[in-house]
Amino acid sequence: MAPLGGLLTRKDEPVALKNISVALSIREFVAGVSATLIYENEEQVPVSTFFMFPLDEDSAVYSFEALVDGRKIVAELYDKMEAHGVYEEVIMQGHKIFLLEEDMCSRDIFYCNVGNIQPRSRVALTLRYVQELPLEDDGALRYVLPVVLNPRYHPSERTEGGCLDVKSPVVPVKDVPYTLSVVTTIHSQHGIDRVQCSCPLDPIEFFGNNQTSAQVSLAGGHKFDRDVEFLIYHRAVHSPSVFVEMGLQQNEPESLMGDPAVMVSFYPDIPEAEVTMSCGEFVFIMDRSKSMQSPVNKQDRSQLRIEAAKEILILLLKNLPMGCFFNVYGFGSSYESFFLQSVKYTPQTMQEAVERVKLMSANLRGTDLLSPLRRIYKEFCISGHPRQIFVFTDGEISDAFRVINEVSFHSKEHRCFSFGIGEGISTSLIKSIARISGGTSEFITSKDRMQSKALRTLKRSLQYLIEDVSLSWKLPRGLSVDTLSPEHTSIFRDQRLIFYGQLIGTIPPREASAKVCLRYRLQGHRLEKEVTFSLQPKHDANFTVHRLAGMSLIQSKDLGFRETPARNRTDVVITSLETGIMSSFTAFVAMNKELNEPVHGPLVPRDIPRPMMFRAPYRKPKQFPSGIFLASSHGLRKPGEAAREKGKTRSSTNETDSESYHEGMVRGQELHNFLCFLLPSSVLFFILLKVFGENGIVQLVFLQKANGSWDLDEDLAKALGMTLEDIKAAHPTEHVDSSGWATVLAVVWLHVNGRDTQCEWNLLERQAVAWLRDRAVFGENHFRQLISLLNANGSWDLDEDLAKALGMTLEDIKAAHPTEHVDSSGWATILALVWLHANRKDFQCEWDLLEQKAVAWLRSRAASTMHIVVKAANTLLQSSVDPAVFDI
C-alpha cells in the first residue's frame, strides 16, 4: 500500500498532479483551510476518476468544487438517499456528476466520484475544510499539511467503498512534476509570540500593536521531502479567549448560520503535581487482528504494530499502582481474556500477565471490538476502583459507529484511553471513544518515543480531572446563547476545551461588551474565571466557528446511519445541510449539465511519481570504468570531464559552493534511484562494489537505511574494510544493540577516513545522529532491562539479570552491599534508581511513575539510612546523585 490519496483512476492509479495551493486561516485554536489541486489527464484516451481525501477526526469538509475545461462545478449538500438517487439518474443520462460522501467504514476518509476526464484536460479540484488544531506539550498549536498522504489498511471483508492499494514509483525530489504554495494568516487576541515551520519560509509579517495577526508564506522551491508543519506560539496562551463570528446575512435569523456564533477557548495552566497513587480497575484491550502484523512505519520495518503495542502494554503493567485491579483482553474475530474477571494487582498476577503478553500475536483475524467491550460492561464496577479502559488498535474496526455508541452509553461508568498504533491509520474511532468518555488518545509511530506517550496516558488516568466545566453568560437584555458543545465536560492537565454557541437575539448597534464566567472543579474545589469580551461580530470568509459549531453538534448526535436515534437524526440532517458539514445522512452532489456526452474509448491508468527524500550524495570515486557517470558537487559528469576539470582553481563563493553541493546531493541520489528501478538491491550493491572498487563512502551511502541507521552485516564489514567476526567481537553489547553499534562504526569511519570530503556526507551523518539521539541507543537496552525486572511492588531483586542491566558483575555489586543498612532487595532497588537518575535523566517522564512505586516501597524498609545507601550506590556506579531527590 502506497501513501497516496488524491485523484485516482478506477484501477486505483493516480492521475498526474501538477500543482497544490493552500490558503490557511488560523484564529485562536481553530483553522479554516482551502486547498486546490490541479490534475491533468496525460493519456490519449479518457480516464474515469474519483477523488480520495483523508482527514483527521477533528476536521470537517464543508465545500467541494471543480473546474473542468473552463466550466465550474459546485457541490451542494443533499440528504444521502436523495443524493445517491440524483447521482444514478444523471450518470445514466451521460452528464458529468460528482458525489462526495463519508467513507462507509470510517468518518475520516472522504470520496468523490469525479467521473470522466478527457485527454489532455486539466481539472482543478478545490476542497475546503475547518479544523480544531492540536496542542503540543509546550503549548504550541500545530498544523500539518501532509505532502504525500500515508497508506491506510483495509480489512479483507471491506468491499466497495473501502480504501485503496495505490502503487507509485519513487523518484528524486527534483523530478517531482508538481509544485506547492502555502499562504497562512494567523490571528490571536492575546498576540502571537512566534511561528515556526518545518520548511523554509518567506519573511514573516506581523500586524497590530501586540502582534495580534501575522502572515506566513512557504518559501519557493519546496523540495517535497517532508511534511509542511507549522507551530504557532500565542502570548498568554492560558488566558481564556472569546471570539464572536458574524453570520451569513442572507440566512434566516435564529438559524445556526444566520445568527452570530461564539467560541470560548479554555486552556488552563495547572501546575504538575505528583501523580495520585489511587486505586482503580485497569482493563487493557489489545487488537490482535491481521493488520497488527503490519509495520508501524512503512519506511522502517524493524518493528511490527503488535510488537509496539505489546511493549507499551508491558510498560503500563509494570507501572500500575499496588492494590488496583486489572485484566487484559485480546480481540479479532473473537476475543480472549487473561482472567475470568479483573484480578487484584500482585507480584504473581502481574508476572503472569507480562508472560502472557509476550506470547501474544496478531492471529485473531477480524476486528470485532464491540464484543469484548460488551463483555466488560456486563461486569459490575468494583467499589472504590474507578474503571479505566485502555484500547490498543490500528483503528480499522468493524462497526465503528456501534462501538462509539456503546462507549458513549457507558461513558458515566468509565473513561477510555486509546492508542492508535502505526502511521496513516484511521483517527476517527480512536479519537471518538476517548473524547466521548472523558479519556485521551495517543498515536504511536516509529518517529516517536512511545514510552513517553504511554506513561503520559497512565499518569492522566491516575490524576485528578478538571471536572464540571461550565459556562454562565452575562449578556445585554434580549440576547441569549444556545450552547452547541456537549455538556458535562472535563479535561486533564495540558488539554484545552473549546465551547461553541449560537447568539440569539439582537446585538446592540453600538460597541457593547458581555461577560462569560468559566466554572470548574479541581480536587474538590470550585474555581471560576470571568472574561469580558466584545459583542461586535467579526467576519471570517470560511465561517470557521459556525462550521465547527455544527461539527461539534453533529459529532455529539450522529452515531452512524443505523445507530442514530430518530430524535437526533432530524437535528443532524438540519445542522449538516445548513453548515455544509457532512454527516452519516448527507452527501455532496455536483453536476455539470453542459457536458452532455458519454465517454467513449478504453480507460487507461497513468502512473505519476511520488517524492523520496535523498539520503546523501556519492563521493567522487578514484577510478571509473568507461561510460560510468560521476556524481559530484558539480553534477553528473563522464570520467573524462572530471579529469579535465581536476586542475581547475577553486574560486567559487560560499553561495556557489552551497548551490553545487545541493545539486550534487540530488544528482547523486538520481543515479542511485535510477539503478534501484532497474536492479534488485543485492545485484546493485555488487555492481557498485565492482564499479567503485573498495570506496567506503559510496558503499556506506548505499547501505544506510532510510531512517539513518545501518545494519550489522557482511556488507557493512566490507565497506569498513573489516571482517564481520572482528566487528562482532568488539561489540559492546552491554551498551548498544547491533544496529546502534553498526551506525556508530559507520559515522566514526567517515570522520577518520573521509574528513576532507565531509561536505559530501554530512547530511548522511545528520540522519544517523538523529536516529541515535531519538532512540537514545546508549542506555536504552539497560533501561528496558530494568523495566522488565521491576517487581509489582516497586522493588528489584539482586541477581544476575539486574547486574547485566546495570553493566556490572554480580560479585562487584554484592561486595559493595552495605548489609548493615539495607537488605538485598533494598540495595538492588536503590542501585536501579540511582542508575536511572545518573543515566536517564533526560527521559525521566518515562520512569517517574516507576520511581514513585519504588520510593514508596523503600520508605517502609530503609528510610532512616537512605543517604548512606545512596552514597554507597554512587561510589559503585561512579555517579553523584543527591539522596534528597528521593524525598525519603
Side-chain angles (χ1 to χ4, degrees):
M1 295 180 290
L4 276 180
L7 192 63
L8 306 168
T9 71
R10 293 298 170 186
K11 293 186 178 181
D12 301 344
E13 300 289 348
V15 178
L17 177 62
K18 297 300 179 182
N19 177 259
I20 309 166
S21 59
V22 178
L24 173 63
S25 177
I26 297 174
R27 187 179 295 275
E28 308 304 337
F29 293 92
V30 300
V33 185
S34 175
T36 299
L37 302 97
I38 297 176
Y39 298 90
E40 182 177 343
N41 176 14
E42 296 182 341
E43 305 300 332
Q44 301 301 317
V45 294
V47 292
S48 180
T49 61
F50 65 95
F51 184 69
M52 183 178 77
F53 192 79
L55 272 179
D56 190 272
E57 214 269 337
D58 294 327
S59 307
V61 172
Y62 69 88
S63 173
F64 177 78
E65 62 184 41
L67 190 64
V68 184
D69 295 329
R71 298 178 177 88
K72 188 175 183 180
I73 302 169
V74 179
E76 295 180 358
L77 204 58
Y78 283 74
D79 180 279
K80 182 170 284 188
M81 301 305 294
E82 183 181 356
H84 278 274
V86 172
Y87 178 80
E88 293 172 3
E89 178 183 351
V90 173
I91 282 292
M92 291 180 64
Q93 297 174 0
H95 295 296
K96 176 156 292 190
I97 183 169
F98 298 77
L99 178 65
L100 180 63
E101 59 184 327
E102 286 185 348
D103 178 20
M104 291 187 296
C105 304
S106 172
R107 71 189 342 162
D108 66 347
I109 292 186
F110 299 95
Y111 294 93
C112 171
N113 290 303
V114 175
N116 305 312
I117 308 296
Q118 297 300 316
R120 300 300 170 183
S121 290
R122 285 204 169 195
V123 178
L125 303 178
T126 299
L127 196 79
R128 297 182 178 90
Y129 62 95
V130 290
Q131 179 179 1
E132 291 183 353
L133 300 180
L135 278 169
E136 297 292 282
D137 290 339
D138 60 357
L141 286 177
R142 180 169 60 91
Y143 173 79
V144 179
L145 176 71
V147 176
V148 179
L149 301 176
N150 287 324
R152 289 284 307 275
Y153 168 78
H154 58 86
S156 58
E157 63 267 20
R158 178 177 289 189
T159 55
E160 184 178 355
C163 300
L164 307 170
D165 293 333
V166 185
K167 298 179 179 179
S168 179
V170 178
V171 299
V173 170
K174 65 181 289 291
D175 288 341
V176 177
Y178 44 86
T179 57
L180 171 69
S181 65
V182 179
V183 178
T184 305
T185 304
I186 306 169
H187 299 277
S188 173
Q189 293 179 10
H190 301 297
I192 303 163
D193 183 65
R194 64 191 186 278
V195 179
Q196 297 177 353
C197 185
S198 60
C199 303
L201 298 173
D202 289 334
I204 301 175
E205 296 183 73
F206 290 98
F207 306 97
N209 294 332
N210 196 31
Q211 295 188 175
T212 53
S213 63
Q215 182 164 311
V216 183
S217 299
L218 198 66
H222 180 60
K223 300 299 184 183
F224 289 91
D225 57 355
R226 69 200 69 185
D227 289 345
V228 178
E229 178 179 8
F230 290 98
L231 293 177
I232 299 99
Y233 293 85
H234 292 313
R235 294 175 178 173
V237 67
H238 293 292
S239 298
S241 62
V242 183
F243 175 71
V244 180
E245 183 179 87
M246 185 182 297
L248 279 166
Q249 295 183 354
Q250 62 267 33
N251 282 39
E252 293 292 328
E254 297 190 10
S255 65
L256 175 55
M257 294 300 291
D259 286 336
V262 60
M263 174 181 70
V264 181
S265 306
F266 179 45
Y267 178 43
D269 183 14
I270 300 173
E272 185 173 9
E274 182 174 321
V275 171
T276 305
M277 301 302 289
S278 60
C279 293
E281 181 191 11
F282 299 86
V283 183
F284 303 96
I285 307 178
M286 173 74 76
D287 187 343
R288 292 175 56 187
S289 63
K290 184 179 179 181
S291 63
M292 291 291 285
Q293 195 64 25
S294 303
V296 170
N297 183 340
K298 296 298 182 181
Q299 301 301 321
D300 180 6
R301 306 184 69 88
S302 61
Q303 188 175 38
L304 302 181
R305 294 177 181 180
I306 186 70
E307 296 301 324
K310 286 163 59 177
E311 189 173 333
I312 296 171
L313 179 50
I314 290 174
L315 181 65
L316 294 177
L317 287 172
K318 291 284 186 176
N319 282 276
L320 290 179
M322 290 296 293
C324 73
F325 288 77
F326 79 103
N327 203 350
V328 179
Y329 285 76
F331 74 92
S333 299
S334 58
Y335 69 89
E336 304 170 353
S337 64
F338 285 6
F339 310 102
L340 292 178
Q341 58 188 12
S342 293
V343 297
K344 195 166 186 177
Y345 182 78
T346 67
Q348 294 75 27
T349 56
M350 184 208 74
Q351 192 58 39
E352 179 183 349
V354 168
E355 294 303 321
R356 295 184 68 173
V357 169
K358 292 177 181 178
L359 298 175
M360 276 184 166
S361 60
N363 61 350
L364 295 184
R365 300 185 301 281
T367 55
D368 179 15
L369 174 58
L370 189 60
S371 294
L373 279 174
R374 286 176 170 171
R375 172 69 177 82
I376 293 165
Y377 292 145
K378 285 181 181 179
E379 293 289 334
F380 289 107
C381 292
I382 302 171
S383 178
H385 295 268
R387 178 173 288 168
Q388 321 269 17
I389 295 178
F390 294 74
V391 178
F392 305 84
T393 178
D394 60 5
E396 290 299 333
I397 301 298
S398 56
D399 288 328
F401 284 116
R402 296 181 69 185
V403 170
I404 295 170
N405 189 27
E406 191 76 15
V407 173
S408 177
F409 183 78
H410 294 277
S411 61
K412 303 297 182 185
E413 306 166 10
H414 78 295
R415 288 183 293 176
C416 187
F417 299 86
S418 53
F419 292 90
I421 311 294
E423 289 190 346
I425 65 174
S426 171
T427 65
S428 177
L429 176 116
I430 293 165
K431 286 192 173 184
S432 293
I433 60 177
R435 172 174 47 80
I436 62 179
S437 64
T440 61
S441 58
E442 295 282 3
F443 291 85
I444 306 299
T445 72
S446 63
K447 297 177 181 178
D448 309 304
R449 286 194 60 80
M450 56 189 178
Q451 296 93 333
S452 300
K453 293 188 173 185
L455 268 299
R456 178 169 60 192
T457 299
L458 182 59
K459 289 176 189 176
R460 285 172 172 170
S461 73
L462 296 170
Q463 281 180 340
Y464 289 107
L465 276 172
I466 299 174
E467 298 178 290
D468 299 333
V469 183
S470 64
L471 301 179
S472 61
W473 302 86
K474 297 179 181 179
L475 302 167
R477 186 183 300 274
L479 196 62
S480 62
V481 173
D482 182 11
T483 302
L484 303 175
S485 303
E487 301 175 0
H488 309 297
T489 50
S490 59
I491 56 174
F492 297 94
R493 184 179 180 271
D494 293 332
Q495 286 189 303
R496 59 103 170 92
L497 275 177
I498 299 179
F499 296 89
Y500 300 102
Q502 176 182 346
L503 279 173
I504 300 173
T506 303
I507 293 180
R510 293 177 298 176
E511 181 68 30
S513 63
K515 294 181 179 181
V516 60
C517 185
L518 282 159
R519 293 187 174 90
Y520 56 96
R521 182 165 54 87
L522 177 63
Q523 294 181 273
H525 300 287
R526 294 295 305 182
L527 304 170
E528 64 179 53
K529 289 188 176 183
E530 191 171 78
V531 181
T532 301
F533 63 96
S534 171
L535 278 172
Q536 298 307 308
K538 293 182 174 58
H539 175 69
D540 183 334
N542 297 308
F543 293 93
T544 304
V545 173
H546 282 80
R547 301 190 197 281
L548 285 173
M551 182 186 78
S552 179
L553 186 64
I554 290 170
Q555 284 181 341
S556 65
K557 295 188 175 184
D558 184 357
L559 298 176
F561 200 82
R562 292 177 296 177
E563 301 298 318
T564 304
R567 64 181 181 277
N568 289 341
R569 182 175 298 201
T570 300
D571 293 340
V572 169
V573 171
I574 291 174
T575 303
S576 176
L577 295 177
E578 188 175 357
T579 60
I581 304 298
M582 279 192 296
S583 69
S584 299
F585 310 100
T586 53
F588 281 115
V589 174
M591 294 174 288
N592 184 352
K593 295 185 178 180
E594 297 179 16
L595 299 178
N596 194 18
E597 295 181 1
V599 177
H600 300 284
L603 304 180
V604 179
R606 169 84 161 90
D607 278 341
I608 62 168
R610 60 185 174 89
M612 171 182 173
M613 178 166 35
F614 52 77
R615 290 182 296 215
Y618 288 110
R619 181 187 177 187
K620 181 175 72 174
K622 297 178 181 178
Q623 297 178 349
F624 306 92
S626 176
I628 296 295
F629 280 77
L630 161 67
S632 75
S633 61
H634 300 285
L636 285 176
R637 300 170 296 169
K638 291 183 179 180
E641 296 171 346
R644 286 192 296 271
E645 293 186 11
K646 186 175 181 181
K648 289 187 177 180
T649 302
R650 183 173 182 178
S651 58
S652 58
T653 64
N654 290 337
E655 290 76 13
T656 304
D657 289 341
S658 177
E659 292 174 3
S660 299
Y661 165 59
H662 288 292
E663 181 183 357
M665 287 197 296
V666 175
R667 299 282 181 125
Q669 190 66 28
E670 184 179 65
L671 174 60
H672 175 269
N673 287 339
F674 175 72
L675 293 174
C676 284
F677 273 123
L678 300 179
L679 303 169
S681 59
S682 58
V683 177
L684 176 56
F685 180 73
F686 175 79
I687 291 176
L688 286 173
L689 193 62
K690 294 299 183 183
V691 168
F692 297 111
E694 298 299 321
N695 188 289
I697 293 181
V698 174
Q699 296 171 40
L700 286 177
V701 168
F702 175 77
L703 292 173
Q704 189 186 32
K705 297 168 68 176
N707 62 8
S709 68
W710 279 265
D711 289 329
L712 188 58
D713 53 23
E714 287 285 358
D715 292 333
L716 178 70
K718 289 179 182 179
L720 299 178
M722 305 179 70
T723 66
L724 184 59
E725 291 72 20
D726 289 342
I727 293 177
K728 287 184 175 179
H731 179 190
T733 53
E734 70 276 13
H735 297 297
V736 65
D737 61 16
S738 59
S739 293
W741 176 232
T743 304
V744 171
L745 283 175
V747 174
V748 171
W749 188 96
L750 288 169
H751 275 274
V752 172
N753 297 280
R755 196 71 181 175
D756 57 335
T757 56
Q758 186 172 359
C759 64
E760 298 183 4
W761 51 262
N762 59 1
L763 181 64
L764 172 153
E765 179 195 27
R766 195 181 310 155
Q767 283 187 285
V769 171
W771 182 84
L772 290 168
R773 184 185 299 114
D774 290 345
R775 284 153 182 78
V777 169
F778 301 105
E780 182 70 18
N781 288 342
H782 296 277
F783 175 66
R784 292 184 180 184
Q785 290 173 42
L786 281 178
I787 294 297
S788 67
L789 296 174
L790 177 71
N791 294 319
N793 60 9
S795 69
W796 277 266
D797 295 326
L798 187 58
D799 54 22
E800 287 285 357
D801 291 332
L802 178 69
K804 185 177 179 181
L806 298 177
M808 307 187 72
T809 66
L810 184 58
E811 291 73 18
D812 289 342
I813 293 176
K814 288 183 175 180
H817 179 191
T819 54
E820 69 276 17
H821 297 296
V822 67
D823 62 16
S824 60
S825 292
W827 176 232
T829 302
I830 289 173
L831 282 175
L833 293 179
V834 170
W835 187 94
L836 287 170
H837 275 276
N839 296 277
R840 304 289 291 177
K841 192 67 176 178
D842 291 342
F843 298 95
Q844 189 169 359
C845 63
E846 298 179 8
W847 50 266
D848 55 358
L849 275 181
L850 172 155
E851 181 187 27
Q852 287 182 37
K853 285 180 70 173
V855 169
W857 180 82
L858 285 169
R859 282 197 179 104
S860 62
R861 303 173 71 90
S864 61
T865 59
M866 185 68 173
H867 66 287
I868 299 175
V869 181
V870 171
K871 183 179 180 180
N874 278 326
T875 301
L876 178 64
L877 297 174
Q878 297 181 358
S879 58
S880 56
V881 177
D882 186 352
V885 301
F886 300 112
D887 191 25
I888 296 180

